[in-house]
Amino acid sequence: MLLKRPMARRTRWVRSSLELLGALLLGALAFVTAALVGQTAPAGPGDGVSPGPPAMRALDVRVASPAPQGGVVPATLFGMYGGYQDAAESARVRQGGAQLMRVYVEWAGLQPYQAYGDGQYFELTNKARLDEQLKRVADAGMTAVVLVGEAPDWAAPRPRGPLYPDRSAYFDRFIEILVNTYKNPPYNVRHWELWPEPDAMDQIPEAVLGRYGSDILKRRAWGNHGAAYAAMLRSAYPAIKRIDAGATVLLGAIAYDWFGDNCPGFNCGGIFNYRFIDDVIAAGGACCFDVLAFNDYAVFAPGWEAHAPGRDIVAKTNYLRERLGRTGVDKPLMVLEAGLWSEGSDMPLRLTNGQVIAVRPSAELQAMYVTKLYARAASLGQVGVSWYTFRDFGYDPEKRGLMTEDLRPKPAFWAYRIAADRLRGAFFSGIAPRLPVLSGLGELEGYEFATPDARRFVVAWVDGAETASMTMPFDVQPHIRTVLVYDSLGRVQRVLRPAAGRVDVEVTTSPAYIEELSGTDFRLSLPVAAKLAPGR
């Protein structure tokens, strides 16, 4: 019977073989929608909570283990890329519950001419703007991850690298000044990410150029130069540690998707080097980063799901961990761009029979995905997952934000806040068996947690189908008098009274929170965000 276990003992469900984290399942199934996925470019760096400011939190990389072992969900799991640029945005990010903020720093803006590098100082107007942004993040109680990129033209042939060989010392001096300037209050920056999507290659396929135009050329980076990137790490890492021994250095988040001409047979047709991380490690770069960061977009999920156990972020994380394991590298992982749009091109969905269908995006689908993403990530020991982006951009036909361009909340904003309210600080304890729907496609996906006062709650839905439902038996602890069921937006679906220590819960493709209550007044237990959302 499902979920039969008192949380006080923190025993686990028996995991199905599909959820065991470990060995890679080499692909027997072909990714039948490669063309659909190949038409969509992942986002590049974007200009991309609590009632009061919480205490500043350091990133605890120790929580990221090779497989889910149970543990407290860190507050920094809830990250954001975008929303730091002005005060109005930052206030809304804070309201949304994010505890981690990725901030893009342009080297070219701080040292536009070589004279700045020779003199080892920053351009004052752009420095003042950065001061304001980083102070705003710190004042909101969020942990900043500073992404360093955008090389000046005197230091590199293109903005994202690689550097001219005789300019690497300039980068080291620049990063030293940056760390020394912002490591202390009022900024408190301790986390440094080196270069955006460094796995982008030199060669851009003609089909990609035809679709996205010359702007795509700006994304070319270190992808064909893994050894040079490793050399940059071996030089910059000790430079950072000399200034701040306790700093955390992140490998620039690799796209690790939309692969170029050396693709592994899925998620092809793009611009990223499948072997970039192998090249970096082979050149001795593993010594010189503390966290391996990568991006994870839902549009690429079917490819990973056909080649590794799990769904979406779980499958990609498993695949990446297995490949790293072959090299003997075991690093904490962090996702610094993730998301799904509410408007734009169709999204692929892999059904339980292996078929991939196209699904029309919507605001409701985006909100549902927020809940699924963070429940899955909480099971993986991820240090953080940053949503891209906080608000929509008028120039982007894919509306990726949690807010509209004029800062009106979408349903996904409330789903994000409710997930943050419920999951951060909870104890993750198990994964549900992936029981199939009795008639038709779909199977149960669920994750169990406990509140600090040892009450159990489950986040569950039917996966692998466009629409489906099933009945899930839920066994409760002896003292439990009520089981509350509410959706991603905090809307109460059912209030159930256990009989003989059990309730039956209908689960659909829309995620539900299923929570034990010791009393009978469920209104006291709804997330704060559920009471603030429209209609409350």
Side-chain angles (χ1 to χ4, degrees), residues 52 79 134 150 195 235 251-252 258 315 318 363 409 441 468-469 473 503:
L134 291 175
E150 203 71 20
W195 302 95
S235 183
L251 183 94
W258 204 41
N318 286 341
L441 297 173
S469 64
V503 296

Side-chain angles (χ1 to χ4, degrees), residues 168-169 172 175-176 230-240 242 288:
S168 60
D172 292 346
I175 204 78
E176 285 178 335
M232 180 277 302
L233 288 174
R234 293 197 307 271
S235 183
Y237 184 87
I240 293 170
R242 280 193 298 270
C288 297

Side-chain angles (χ1 to χ4, degrees), residues 59 61 145-146 148 171 175 179 190-195 229 232-242 244-253 285-293 331-332 334 336:
L59 225 65
V61 299
V145 173
V146 169
V148 181
F171 182 70
I175 204 78
V179 174
R190 309 295 303 282
H191 306 90
W192 303 93
E193 179 192 357
L194 301 181
W195 302 95
Y229 187 86
M232 180 277 302
L233 288 174
R234 293 197 307 271
S235 183
Y237 184 87
I240 293 170
K241 297 289 186 173
R242 280 193 298 270
D244 184 1
T248 298
V249 179
L250 292 83
L251 183 94
C287 64
C288 297
F289 61 92
D290 302 313
V291 174
L292 192 152
K331 298 277 187 176
M334 178 184 291
L336 287 174

Side-chain angles (χ1 to χ4, degrees), residues 132-167:
E132 182 182 348
Q133 291 173 347
L134 291 175
K135 184 176 184 300
R136 189 182 297 129
V137 171
D139 288 347
M142 292 186 285
T143 297
V145 173
V146 169
L147 166 59
V148 181
E150 203 71 20
D153 57 12
W154 57 266
R158 57 194 184 213
R160 295 193 177 191
L163 304 176
Y164 293 126
D166 61 347
R167 292 296 188 259

Side-chain angles (χ1 to χ4, degrees), residues 162-215:
L163 304 176
Y164 293 126
D166 61 347
R167 292 296 188 259
S168 60
Y170 280 94
F171 182 70
D172 292 346
R173 289 196 294 269
F174 167 74
I175 204 78
E176 285 178 335
I177 299 170
L178 199 65
V179 174
N180 194 53
T181 301
Y182 295 109
K183 68 177 181 177
N184 294 318
Y187 311 110
N188 304 311
V189 179
R190 309 295 303 282
H191 306 90
W192 303 93
E193 179 192 357
L194 301 181
W195 302 95
E197 293 180 333
D199 51 336
M201 298 195 298
D202 295 341
Q203 304 85 10
I204 304 296
E206 287 297 325
V208 174
L209 270 172
R211 180 174 176 83
Y212 297 103
S214 60
D215 279 354

Side-chain angles (χ1 to χ4, degrees), residues 41-45 160 196-197 200-201 204 215-221 255 258 271-272:
R160 295 193 177 191
E197 293 180 333
M201 298 195 298
I204 304 296
D215 279 354
I216 198 75
L217 296 173
K218 299 175 184 177
R219 298 180 68 176
R220 292 177 299 171
W258 204 41
I271 65 173
F272 297 102

Side-chain angles (χ1 to χ4, degrees), residues 423-452:
L423 294 178
R424 64 185 173 196
F427 184 89
F428 165 69
S429 55
I431 302 173
R434 298 191 71 96
L435 301 178
V437 171
L438 293 179
S439 177
L441 297 173
E443 60 187 6
L444 178 68
E445 183 172 357
Y447 302 89
E448 184 172 332
F449 303 87
T451 62

